[in-house]
Amino acid sequence: MRIFSGIQPTGRKHLGNYIGAITQYVAGQDRGDAIYCVVDLHAITVAYEPTVLREAVYDTAATLLAAGLDPQRCIFFRQGDVQEHSELCWLLSAVTSFGELNRMTQFKDKAGAQRDLVSAGLFFYPVLQAADVLAYRAHEVPVGEDQRQHIELMRDAAERFNARFGETLVVPEARIPTVGARIMDLQAPDRKMSTTGGTPQGTVLVLDEPKTIAKKIRSSVTDSGSEVRRGPDKAGISNLIDILAAVRGISPEEVEGEFDAAGYGAFKQAVADAVIDYLAPVRERYHELRADEPELERIMQAGAAKARAIATETLADVRRAMGVGPVRPRG
Ligand code: ATP
Ligand code: MG
């Protein structure tokens, strides 16, 4: 069983990324052949600075390694180092529907947030994402809830490819956690916590100091009631319940039961304490790992060599099936 996922080096990663995606990456190493990459080519679809991007790749890499990705047990690399992703993106454009791309809610949200250029790359983003996954013939893609629509699109592209050019690609499945798949912004609990689109006070960063985490959680927006239970009119409290459930590895019902009689103040404090304990070891390891850039670079280069070996085979099959380039005997 092969697992693939990518994470953007845009800004600092947050609690939503950690709960929704990163913990699943770590667990995936025990469940199958896991392949993960830092998707620098996706980060260029919004306004960015080249020097900042290069640094942010190291920040994200160190965060993932601190969280428990082990280069001995997974393939870990930087997307831009494996050029096959870009070529496959273009080849897959032949089997990607414009109408479907046009319905992607992430594009609509992010396009609306751009101050000047809305790049074509932002629109084409899901095709590159499809290439990322399909290049490795991955069976499973661990992601948060917001990526469901993109996974559907890549499944459609793979099915269309196989129907049109012959059985070549694996149609992947999304793996979305049951609790914590959509952590909301603490200040705007109708929006997902986001690296690029959230409020600073409403976004708990993996690397935040304990004091900062406590402050953000204690000042999170809640309703005017006092009951610790989930409900459509209780977005803020529902979010905190999900966070505590995910961090403790229990169900939201258990959290509701435990804090039945507690007020919001005590509940928020308990969430803050749990999140602080949860992230502290990651932050400590991060600083050690981040200090050694040559080592991070070495790890990602070694990973890229392994990734390339898989992706070049897929690319050769795709080109052959599509009639691109000369006929070459298989193998
Ligand atoms: P942006 O909002 O700019 O897209 P991001 O915060 O979504 O940034 P990504 O690198 O795009 O960060 O996402 C990495 C992974 O984290 C993806 O699998 C995504 O589904 C997951 N994820 C992102 N935000 C959340 C969230 N609020 N709750 C749970 N999972 C999330
Ligand atoms: Mg995202």
Side-chain angles (χ1 to χ4, degrees):
M1 215 260 304
R2 198 174 272 163
I3 300 169
F4 179 93
S5 200
I7 188 162
Q8 293 200 73
T10 38
R12 298 242 150 139
K13 301 324 281 187
H14 54 76
L15 184 61
N17 300 135
Y18 199 83
I19 291 173
I22 297 173
T23 56
Q24 295 201 80
Y25 298 176
V26 176
Q29 299 178 116
D30 298 323
R31 300 182 43 255
D33 298 328
I35 307 175
Y36 303 118
C37 74
V38 181
V39 292
D40 54 345
L41 300 181
H42 284 282
I44 65 166
T45 58
V46 292
Y48 80 102
E49 278 304 322
T51 48
V52 175
L53 173 61
R54 197 167 281 126
E55 290 296 310
V57 170
Y58 293 131
D59 295 347
T60 306
T63 305
L64 293 175
L65 295 169
L69 287 202
D70 174 359
Q72 305 299 324
R73 294 196 299 142
C74 70
I75 297 177
F76 177 61
F77 69 106
R78 172 172 45 209
Q79 180 192 32
D81 290 344
V82 181
Q83 295 181 0
E84 280 72 13
H85 292 233
S86 304
E87 185 181 351
L88 186 56
C89 171
W90 182 250
L91 295 173
L92 289 175
S93 72
V95 289
T96 307
S97 143
F98 173 81
E100 203 179 348
L101 271 182
N102 221 5
R103 287 193 293 277
M104 293 296 116
T105 54
Q106 176 173 293
F107 172 70
K108 289 179 195 154
D109 293 347
K110 289 194 179 180
Q114 299 310 303
R115 258 178 261 133
D116 35 57
L117 179 78
V118 176
S119 74
L122 194 57
F123 183 73
F124 223 62
Y125 186 115
V127 191
L128 179 58
Q129 192 179 351
D132 296 339
V133 174
L134 301 181
Y136 299 95
R137 296 184 163 117
H139 304 99
E140 208 178 85
V141 192
V143 284
E145 174 64 43
D146 65 309
Q147 292 303 313
R148 196 182 285 280
Q149 205 183 20
H150 290 170
I151 306 287
E152 216 32 66
L153 181 133
M154 72 177 69
R155 287 173 54 85
D156 290 347
E159 277 166 6
R160 206 173 285 121
F161 188 102
N162 290 344
R164 170 77 178 80
F165 300 113
E167 225 29 68
T168 308
L169 298 171
V170 169
V171 181
E173 306 263 354
R175 186 178 172 94
I176 298 174
T178 45
V179 181
R182 189 174 178 81
I183 300 298
M184 310 307 276
D185 187 294
L186 300 178
Q187 289 297 320
D190 56 331
R191 296 209 312 248
K192 85 166 187 88
M193 202 176 272
S194 158
T195 347
T196 56
T199 67
Q201 279 311 308
T203 308
V204 173
L205 301 177
V206 174
L207 303 176
D208 271 345
E209 296 293 327
K211 275 201 315 278
T212 312
I213 297 177
K215 183 151 177 264
K216 287 177 178 175
I217 293 178
R218 276 202 307 261
S219 57
S220 65
V221 169
T222 49
D223 55 276
S224 57
S226 60
E227 279 174 89
V228 178
R229 60 169 172 78
R230 289 164 301 159
D233 50 342
K234 296 170 77 72
I237 285 292
S238 303
N239 189 38
L240 294 178
I241 291 173
D242 277 356
I243 290 173
L244 188 56
V247 165
R248 288 224 200 130
I250 60 177
S251 70
E253 290 77 12
E254 286 173 284
V255 173
E256 288 170 337
E258 183 179 337
F259 291 92
D260 198 16
Y264 284 181
F267 175 58
K268 283 180 171 178
Q269 189 58 52
V271 177
D273 292 344
V275 171
I276 288 167
D277 287 350
Y278 183 67
L279 295 178
V282 186
R283 192 179 76 249
E284 281 157 27
R285 279 197 295 276
Y286 170 86
H287 290 294
E288 279 166 44
L289 292 158
R290 182 63 182 85
D292 194 350
E293 265 182 30
E295 176 62 5
L296 293 171
E297 192 55 47
R298 193 198 61 73
I299 289 171
M300 287 192 289
Q301 294 291 332
K306 292 186 203 160
R308 204 174 296 119
I310 302 171
T312 48
E313 268 190 33
T314 310
L315 251 293
D317 290 347
V318 166
R319 290 172 63 108
R320 189 178 308 108
M322 293 182 78
V324 172
V327 184
R328 275 197 216 92
R330 236 209 113 128

